[in-house]
Amino acid sequence: MTTPAPRLQIEPLDGGPRRLHLFSVDVEDYFQVVAFEGVVRREDWDTYPSRVESNTDRLLDLLAAHSVRGTFFTLGWVARKHPGLIRRIVDQGHEVASHGDWHRRVTRMSPQEALEELRNSKAALEDASGQPCFGFRAPSFSIVPGTEWAFDVLLEAGYRYDSSLFPIRRPDYGYPGVPPAPFWIHRPAGSLLELPLATFGVAGMRLPAAGGGYLRQFPDAFVHRAFREAERENRPGMFYVHPWEVDPGQPRIPCSPLTGIRHYRNIHLMLPRMERLLAEFRFSSVAVEFARELGQPVRGAAA
Ligand SMILES: [Zn+2]
């Protein structure tokens, strides 16, 4: 059992037919990850050879092979540099949402800075995609206890849903106590839909198993368990992956041994592991599965 997080006013979604699981991609380049912030300066991003287009194309091919649509939480920076990639994502029936503009953690910004970051990102993504951008995922899941003001900023910037809360306890991220199922967050200015990252329960705790590093570092069964539990409990599980996680040939950035393991270990296993996940479970995008809650027509629902 989870106890409601005391700082948030939340409300479960109405019941109804079980939804498909949710497939998401955090679209950023290999040199933009938070773990390399101390080595790679943002002002130097342009000097690194970019691989985000070719790596995202691999994920697009994987999804096309399984007839799956996903949600691509993308940096505004990527949309300005690679507008053709954004068009390919939407042309293939996927949703484009925001991963911020310059991959700055919510915990490192003031509310005013976050508002600017979220507005700039939304504008860049909407310009490139020609579609509205309703969703946000914070870099490193950085909406944590104490940064609830981020939901007010999201509403002010015109967002309708968030997928940043990881209902786990970890030193670097996590928002323990919120439910594992989608829920509404009520704020004075309005309500946001929250789609938490996939976890599973064991001995009264919730363990993270949403994909990304968890899919690379642990056996398949670990991540599959979270999606099976979600099905038993009649709720969707939210999966995530980064384009650089399917790129064994990416240039190596000097880092500590621990960061090296987190970033590079088992990258060559990621595509086969995702193939098995997509063969075992059915996935879709937030825009399609939650069109009613987001007040949107289901674009291309018959595709
Ligand atoms: Zn990220």
Side-chain angles (χ1 to χ4, degrees):
M1 289 294 291
T2 52
T3 46
R7 295 166 187 263
L8 283 178
Q9 190 192 345
I10 65 177
E11 181 190 351
L13 288 197
D14 293 341
R18 180 162 61 76
R19 329 246 180 164
L20 300 187
H21 296 302
L22 302 166
F23 193 101
S24 70
V25 183
D26 290 358
V27 183
E28 65 199 29
D29 224 324
Y30 65 96
F31 50 84
Q32 294 172 323
V33 303
V34 164
F36 297 142
E37 267 181 5
V39 188
V40 180
R41 299 184 310 170
R42 284 187 173 81
E43 51 268 41
D44 294 336
W45 280 0
D46 278 334
T47 66
Y48 286 79
S50 176
R51 298 171 75 91
V52 69
E53 282 217 54
S54 54
N55 291 334
T56 305
D57 282 337
R58 286 186 201 185
L59 291 168
L60 289 171
D61 290 347
L62 172 80
L63 294 179
H66 290 267
S67 302
V68 168
R69 282 183 288 184
T71 299
F72 286 66
F73 293 99
T74 305
L75 292 181
W77 188 92
V78 170
R80 287 188 294 273
K81 295 281 173 187
H82 307 280
L85 173 64
I86 307 304
R87 281 193 293 276
R88 288 202 293 287
I89 293 171
V90 293
D91 285 351
Q92 294 182 35
H94 304 292
E95 173 191 10
V96 170
S98 170
H99 192 41
D101 206 41
W102 284 84
H103 209 252
R104 297 161 79 195
R105 279 171 283 180
V106 171
T107 44
R108 302 294 175 93
M109 291 187 284
S110 68
Q112 192 54 44
E113 288 169 333
L115 181 61
E116 201 175 312
E117 172 95 1
L118 285 162
R119 280 183 170 155
N120 290 344
S121 157
K122 192 174 198 298
L125 293 163
E126 291 182 345
D127 273 359
S129 71
Q131 303 286 331
C133 164
F134 289 137
F136 174 65
R137 170 160 305 139
S140 290
F141 314 111
S142 56
I143 300 183
V144 297
T147 54
E148 292 78 7
W149 54 261
F151 300 116
D152 304 323
V153 171
L154 281 166
L155 285 164
E156 190 173 347
Y159 290 80
R160 297 188 188 175
Y161 77 88
D162 174 69
S163 180
S164 305
L165 298 191
F166 225 136
I168 55 166
R169 192 176 299 280
R170 260 184 68 138
D172 44 354
Y173 58 77
Y175 202 112
V178 290
F183 54 90
W184 290 105
I185 296 174
H186 298 307
R187 305 295 294 180
S191 299
L192 272 178
L193 181 63
E194 175 64 37
L195 300 156
L197 281 296
T199 51
F200 66 84
V202 65
M205 288 187 334
R206 298 213 66 82
L207 296 182
Y214 301 106
L215 186 62
R216 278 187 292 121
Q217 309 289 357
F218 298 106
D220 283 12
F222 186 84
V223 166
H224 289 210
R225 183 171 168 172
F227 291 89
R228 279 207 194 88
E229 182 192 275
E231 290 182 356
R232 279 198 306 277
E233 297 180 359
N234 199 35
R235 57 178 168 81
M238 171 64 85
F239 175 85
Y240 77 97
V241 63
H242 303 90
W244 51 263
E245 287 184 291
V246 296
D247 182 9
Q250 66 192 278
R252 292 296 192 260
I253 290 178
C255 60
S256 72
L258 180 61
T259 297
I261 289 169
R262 281 187 175 168
H263 190 86
Y264 298 117
R265 183 167 177 263
N266 287 344
I267 274 185
H268 62 293
L269 297 179
M270 197 62 171
L271 275 174
R273 286 183 175 181
M274 278 194 291
E275 291 273 5
R276 292 195 288 272
L277 188 80
L278 291 170
E280 181 90 16
F281 301 98
R282 295 183 63 214
F283 289 86
S284 184
S285 67
V286 177
V288 169
E289 292 302 302
F290 292 88
R292 187 166 57 91
E293 286 80 0
L294 299 172
Q296 285 303 297
V298 183
R299 194 170 68 87

